[in-house]
Amino acid sequence: MYALPDQAAIDALFNGSHADPFSILGLHEHDGSLWLHALLPDAGEVSVIDAKNERTLATLDRVDARGFFSGKIPRRKNAFPYRLSVRWGDGTFDIEDPYRFGEVLGDVDAWLLAEGTHQRPFQRLGAHPAVMEGVAGVAFAVWAPNARRVSIVGDFNLWDGRRYPMRLRRECGVWEIFLPGVQQGALYKYEIFTAEGHIELKADPYGFSAELRPGTASKVAALPEVVPASDARRTANAFNAPVSIYEVHLGSWRRIPEQGNRWLSYRELADTLIPYVKDLGFTHLELLPVNEHPFDGSWGYQPLGMYAPTSRFGTPADFRYFIETAHANGIGVLLDWVPGHFPTDSHGLARFDGTHLFEHADPREGFHQDWSTLIYNYGRNEVRNYLTGNALYWIERYGIDGLRVDAVASMLYRDYSRKEGEWIPNQFGGRENLEAIQFLRSMNETVGTARPEAITLAEESTAFPAVSRPPAMGGLGFHYKWNMGWMHDTLEYMQQDPVHRKYHHHKMTFGMVYAFNENFVLPLSHDEVVHGKGSLLARMPGDAWQQFANLRAYYAFMWAHPGKKLLFMGGEFAQGREWNHEDSLDWHLLDPAVGGGWHGGVQMLVRDLNAVYKAQPALHQIDFDPSGFQWIAHDDAENSVFSFIRKGEQPSCEVIVIANFTPVPRHAYTVGVPLAGRWREILNTDAACYGGGNAGNDTLETQPHGSHGFAQSLTLAVPPLATIYLQRVAE
């Protein structure tokens, strides 16, 4: 008598609705005998082979014409390793039976995943090449607690969801299976049978590699090895270090027109972009998101493959080579990271198991009106774990030096960009998203504890307090915050005709009112050269000479101002047109025969600014304390001149900065100085090599005439639309 499951159970296996295939398939003991059941659609004959001695032990009966086989294993009472010999059509194949293998997740992993406290969930969830019971294959695991059935489908099983239904670990809502013989590079998805009876095909939320768009499948890839922590990288990220960031969109930095306007690969970028950044003296690269994303035009800010470097530019190994090359050249790499929202594409996280699993069900909490995207449910343990694990993954497994967290303001406030009645208050009736706040604090604490050499930077555009202060002090735990207010104010000032700037003088000084409330980065980012804003150069007033002079003076003012620096690609040579992600930067502008050589002059200035910035401790050591800055004159609105002192940790290393934002040269201009002696120019944006008029100063001697509260003063020439740096000459 066969120990068969009933027909209803067999039918459920074939129609893909059985929730517990391991309870039927594989070896099972019945009345002291061992039985084997196998679901092999369209197979004609199946035999059981002892894996140890290669003997055929039994031929199974085909008890359902669609391909369900069952049989008693003679003289066996305990489970043993076996293979199946299967005849399909005219061919016979030896295969491993996935249903003879045990559980993928250990009990502790299942417990931590259920709690949402697994520090590295990516080590267990996703697709992991593994060896079980001496057999090579891939262990798959996916969180889908409300699904009726989940199967692995891929190019290894004809994308047939009947073939490999998974085991549900009810204690944590994770479905798992070990598939023998699947190799790295295999394409796969999860076929999910929802509670409503619908079939959904989903890419792996923890997939480490992905198919190139328009394909949407995940690709089996090994988890990258851990990158050892680096004291050198920690020093380069420190608050007292020079941090000058070059922001890059990899797909449009440089293209190859002769080859269909194609992108450069990660390895080509390593060989071209890295030397370029090093030559210009930037200390860090910041990459617009490289997480896999379906739409080129999103620039990566609507990611679906949070654990996969985009395949547009190569493989995960290629991306890691890019990072290693940057580090070998002393350049840190920051990654734009988007935990605030995700797109609604059907193969992604939206209604992942047929329910609102990763997102809120109520659109007043779960839908971003600005971007038509979905908002993560930060109140769910597993969602927080997914995102926090992802932050650590990029730092630990690729050696990323830091994460610039996008759209933090949209996470902090429930009423972000919403009208009254379009949002739900928190439990106390307020507008703050308490769950998101707790997530950000927890994420920053996790990263800071596990990889203290790494940093996180918040793109946060409101006055939310203590963004860059530790959670223990009531802060969010970021190391740095983008200073959006400084950027908006100073650009608004620079866009004014110089004759009107005296009426907007406060725009350039107001940033110092709050400069030390946070650890700021001064960003001139991609957001300032898109959506009709034009390029930075195009926003400067006046004729071409004045536009370039304005931009040079502005850059030098920025590099001297307290705060770390960020400049988007193209700004370093004053690209004239607005950035277009579908085209290369306008590298032809650097030809001396084009534009009078002024573009090359701006590029030379940026190189020299970075060199002076790194060489002068006064310009970077004390960015976040009032002791590192002192105004000389902040109130000379009539002349539109600003003067101040930057100070380092050691006395007598001050740098004096004087900026003139009118096209009128200021002859015999007097400024007070802290120390008597000789002072010399160490940078002048009006220098001829930058395209300026070459007005300036030789070595200057102080006079014992008090000015601006100092006992000593200098009388000097301040060139038109120019910024100069002065340093005392050592005796």
Side-chain angles (χ1 to χ4, degrees):
M1 180 73 65
Y2 284 106
L4 282 173
D6 60 34
Q7 189 61 45
I10 295 174
D11 289 341
L13 286 171
F14 277 106
N15 64 34
S17 62
H18 201 289
D20 191 9
F22 279 83
S23 67
I24 298 176
L25 302 176
L27 289 170
H28 294 272
E29 190 273 335
H30 181 76
D31 287 341
S33 298
L34 202 61
W35 295 76
L36 194 150
H37 310 303
L39 180 72
L40 296 162
D42 306 321
E45 184 177 286
V46 178
S47 298
V48 182
I49 300 172
D50 189 318
K52 291 184 177 180
N53 56 31
E54 301 298 321
R55 292 179 182 174
T56 300
L57 301 179
T59 298
L60 303 182
D61 293 327
R62 185 177 183 181
V63 297
D64 189 294
R66 293 170 291 181
F68 187 85
F69 297 81
S70 181
K72 181 179 178 181
I73 309 300
R75 297 181 297 281
R76 298 293 176 109
K77 293 185 178 182
N78 299 310
F80 63 94
Y82 64 89
R83 296 196 312 277
L84 300 177
S85 177
V86 184
R87 178 172 57 79
W88 272 296
D90 295 330
T92 300
F93 307 88
D94 268 13
I95 67 170
E96 296 282 355
D97 184 4
Y99 299 95
R100 81 169 179 87
F101 295 93
E103 295 176 338
V104 170
L105 297 181
D107 291 340
V108 174
D109 288 315
W111 178 272
L112 294 176
L113 290 170
E115 278 192 333
T117 58
H118 201 302
Q119 191 172 68
R120 296 173 177 83
F122 52 82
Q123 290 181 333
R124 294 295 175 260
L125 297 176
H128 294 268
V131 175
M132 292 188 72
E133 299 181 26
V135 178
V138 175
F140 294 90
V142 62
W143 179 56
N146 304 305
R148 291 169 60 182
R149 183 265 303 164
V150 179
S151 294
I152 286 289
V153 296
D155 54 10
F156 43 80
N157 69 353
L158 304 177
W159 301 90
D160 186 345
R162 299 172 299 170
R163 295 180 185 270
Y164 296 139
M166 305 170 76
R167 173 196 292 114
L168 174 62
R169 299 293 297 273
R170 297 184 183 278
E171 67 270 38
C172 59
V174 172
W175 298 78
E176 61 171 27
I177 195 170
F178 174 74
L179 292 188
V182 175
Q183 297 181 347
Q184 291 194 47
L187 298 177
Y188 72 97
K189 284 186 178 181
Y190 297 108
E191 184 180 280
I192 296 176
F193 189 57
T194 71
E196 292 82 8
H198 303 302
I199 296 291
E200 303 285 351
L201 279 176
K202 295 289 187 176
D204 192 345
Y206 283 87
F208 303 136
S209 183
E211 194 177 15
L212 178 63
R213 57 100 178 99
T216 57
S218 300
K219 187 181 294 186
V220 174
L223 179 65
E225 295 294 324
V226 172
V227 177
S230 165
D231 289 338
R233 300 310 320 149
R234 184 173 188 173
T235 300
N237 286 337
F239 295 133
N240 63 354
V243 175
S244 181
I245 305 165
Y246 186 62
E247 187 189 30
V248 173
H249 177 254
L250 293 179
S252 59
W253 179 73
R254 190 186 294 274
R255 292 199 177 194
I256 309 296
E258 300 80 10
Q259 298 178 19
N261 202 34
R262 72 166 179 86
W263 304 304
L264 297 181
S265 69
Y266 289 125
R267 290 182 179 269
E268 289 172 323
L269 287 160
D271 295 339
T272 53
L273 173 59
I274 300 301
Y276 179 77
V277 172
K278 182 178 181 179
D279 174 66
L280 288 183
F282 287 98
T283 64
H284 291 69
L285 265 171
E286 181 175 315
L287 307 180
L288 272 63
V290 301
N291 315 74
E292 193 59 77
H293 51 283
F295 177 49
D296 293 351
S298 75
W299 315 327
Y301 286 102
Q302 293 193 18
L304 278 183
M306 288 292 282
Y307 283 82
T310 178
S311 55
R312 288 165 174 80
F313 315 120
T315 66
D318 295 334
F319 180 62
R320 182 150 161 161
Y321 172 82
F322 175 88
I323 305 300
E324 290 169 347
T325 302
H327 288 168
N329 285 273
I331 296 167
V333 181
L334 310 175
L335 181 65
D336 276 16
W337 188 59
V338 189
H341 59 114
F342 59 91
T344 60
D345 299 62
S346 61
H347 67 281
L349 301 181
R351 294 185 62 88
F352 187 79
D353 64 356
T355 67
H356 298 282
L357 191 62
F358 286 85
E359 72 274 23
H360 291 276
D362 192 321
R364 292 175 296 173
E365 294 182 284
F367 187 75
H368 257 310
Q369 298 175 340
D370 288 358
W371 304 306
S372 296
T373 52
L374 299 173
I375 301 171
Y376 287 104
N377 183 350
Y378 306 107
R380 182 161 280 162
N381 294 341
E382 296 89 345
V383 173
R384 292 195 307 273
N385 205 187
Y386 170 72
L387 293 170
T388 300
N390 187 251
L392 184 57
Y393 166 81
W394 289 105
I395 294 166
E396 187 175 80
R397 299 294 172 151
Y398 282 96
I400 293 294
D401 295 272
L403 300 172
R404 176 267 194 185
V405 183
D406 182 62
V408 171
S410 75
M411 300 171 66
L412 296 177
Y413 298 104
R414 287 173 165 263
D415 64 344
Y416 180 85
S417 197
R418 294 178 186 271
K419 299 175 183 177
E420 187 175 350
E422 294 180 345
W423 59 282
I424 299 176
N426 64 34
Q427 66 192 71
F428 303 108
R431 57 193 288 257
E432 296 81 9
N433 189 328
L434 302 179
E435 295 82 7
I437 291 170
Q438 183 55 40
F439 157 68
L440 290 171
R441 287 173 172 162
S442 176
M443 180 275 296
N444 282 320
E445 287 181 322
T446 297
V447 169
T449 301
R451 297 303 290 249
E453 77 279 9
I455 55 176
T456 58
L457 308 90
E459 190 236 350
E460 203 285 305
S461 56
T462 74
F464 193 91
V467 170
S468 57
R469 298 293 181 262
M473 298 173 58
L476 293 183
F478 288 94
H479 297 81
Y480 297 101
K481 172 181 173 176
W482 275 23
N483 195 337
M484 312 293 281
W486 176 91
M487 178 269 297
H488 285 299
D489 286 347
T490 57
L491 277 178
E492 184 177 336
Y493 175 89
M494 293 304 301
Q495 288 177 254
Q496 301 295 324
D497 188 290
V499 74
H500 298 137
R501 283 177 176 166
K502 62 183 179 181
Y503 305 111
H504 302 271
H505 196 76
H506 65 286
K507 293 289 186 182
M508 297 293 270
T509 62
F510 183 66
M512 289 310 304
V513 173
Y514 58 87
F516 307 112
N517 293 347
E518 303 276 4
N519 305 328
F520 281 122
V521 172
L522 309 181
L524 293 178
S525 74
H526 68 279
D527 281 328
E528 304 317 307
V529 293
V530 292
H531 303 318
K533 294 178 182 177
S535 69
L536 294 177
L537 179 68
R539 292 159 78 173
M540 300 294 116
D543 59 19
W545 187 93
Q546 291 189 356
Q547 285 184 306
F548 279 92
N550 269 302
L551 189 62
R552 294 194 302 266
Y554 180 47
Y555 281 173
F557 180 86
M558 169 184 171
W559 254 255
H561 194 284
K564 308 310 181 186
K565 325 301 174 189
L566 180 141
L567 184 65
F568 184 59
M569 64 181 199
E572 78 278 11
F573 61 82
Q575 177 159 301
R577 65 178 175 88
E578 186 172 274
W579 171 55
N580 181 355
H581 69 273
E582 295 182 347
D583 294 323
S584 177
L585 295 180
D586 291 337
W587 296 103
H588 66 280
L589 295 176
L590 290 171
D591 185 338
V594 178
W598 283 342
H599 295 278
V602 173
Q603 186 188 58
M604 183 181 296
L605 172 66
V606 170
R607 183 186 291 109
D608 289 350
L609 282 171
N610 280 328
V612 172
Y613 173 61
K614 290 189 287 188
Q616 298 295 329
L619 295 178
H620 62 256
Q621 277 187 339
I622 309 178
D623 267 327
F624 309 123
D625 188 279
S627 63
F629 178 90
Q630 183 178 2
W631 281 114
I632 298 175
H634 62 82
D635 54 357
D636 190 3
E638 190 62 33
N639 292 312
S640 296
V641 173
F642 306 84
S643 54
F644 54 87
I645 306 169
R646 291 302 311 276
K647 304 176 182 181
E649 294 171 356
Q650 301 300 320
S652 304
C653 69
E654 292 94 342
V655 172
I656 289 176
V657 180
I658 307 171
N660 175 14
F661 287 108
T662 68
V664 180
R666 304 298 172 185
H667 302 290
Y669 192 85
T670 299
V671 293
V673 296
L675 293 171
R678 291 182 298 159
W679 293 73
R680 66 183 178 89
E681 283 185 355
I682 57 173
L683 186 131
N684 182 339
T685 65
D686 192 52
C689 60
Y690 306 141
N694 216 33
N697 302 271
D698 295 324
T699 301
L700 299 163
E701 292 279 355
T702 58
Q703 301 296 321
H705 305 303
S707 182
H708 301 103
F710 297 97
Q712 302 288 325
S713 61
L714 291 173
T715 299
L716 69 162
V718 184
L721 295 176
T723 297
I724 61 175
Y725 297 174
L726 304 175
Q727 185 177 47
R728 188 169 177 269
V729 179
E731 298 298 336

